[in-house]
Amino acid sequence: EEINHNDLNCSIFPNPAQNSINISFTLDNSAKTTLSVYDMLGRVVKSIDFGTLSMGFNAKEIDVKDLKPSGYIYVLQANDHSVTGKFIIYK
């Protein structure tokens, strides 16, 4: 899934995923960046603080082995920009 929103140009793969997901995005400026993952009931099931990341292309691998098979919503927050998307976990 690729989303161009607020200049983050975010993509997540593979989707569906089993053990890990890769998220890549582009920052216009260095930014404090976090990723929050929510289950379908709106509960936060994973929260990752990447700290301050450099301007330009960034990519992170996220371990999702602890998530149950289901659909999830993610919110990538970089300073005052955010992007929301979804992914599926299967086992």
Side-chain angles (χ1 to χ4, degrees):
E1 175 179 356
E2 185 165 335
I3 300 171
N4 294 318
H5 185 66
N6 289 336
D7 306 317
L8 290 177
N9 193 23
C10 180
S11 66
I12 191 166
F13 62 93
N15 191 6
Q18 192 168 19
N19 295 317
S20 66
I21 56 171
N22 297 286
I23 187 164
S24 60
F25 49 94
T26 304
L27 299 175
D28 286 344
N29 298 295
S30 63
K32 178 171 173 32
T33 308
T34 60
L35 178 72
S36 299
V37 177
Y38 299 86
D39 67 14
M40 289 300 163
L41 297 175
R43 297 176 297 207
V44 175
V45 294
K46 187 175 279 288
S47 183
I48 300 169
D49 184 347
F50 297 123
T52 301
L53 298 178
S54 300
M55 177 177 111
F57 180 79
N58 289 272
K60 299 291 181 184
E61 183 176 9
I62 311 300
D63 182 346
V64 293
K65 286 182 264 190
D66 57 328
L67 298 181
K68 296 178 181 175
S70 186
Y72 293 90
I73 304 294
Y74 68 87
V75 178
L76 179 69
Q77 180 80 37
N79 287 345
D80 59 346
H81 298 290
S82 67
V83 63
T84 302
K86 58 188 172 192
F87 65 93
I88 296 170
I89 298 296
Y90 72 96
K91 299 294 179 186

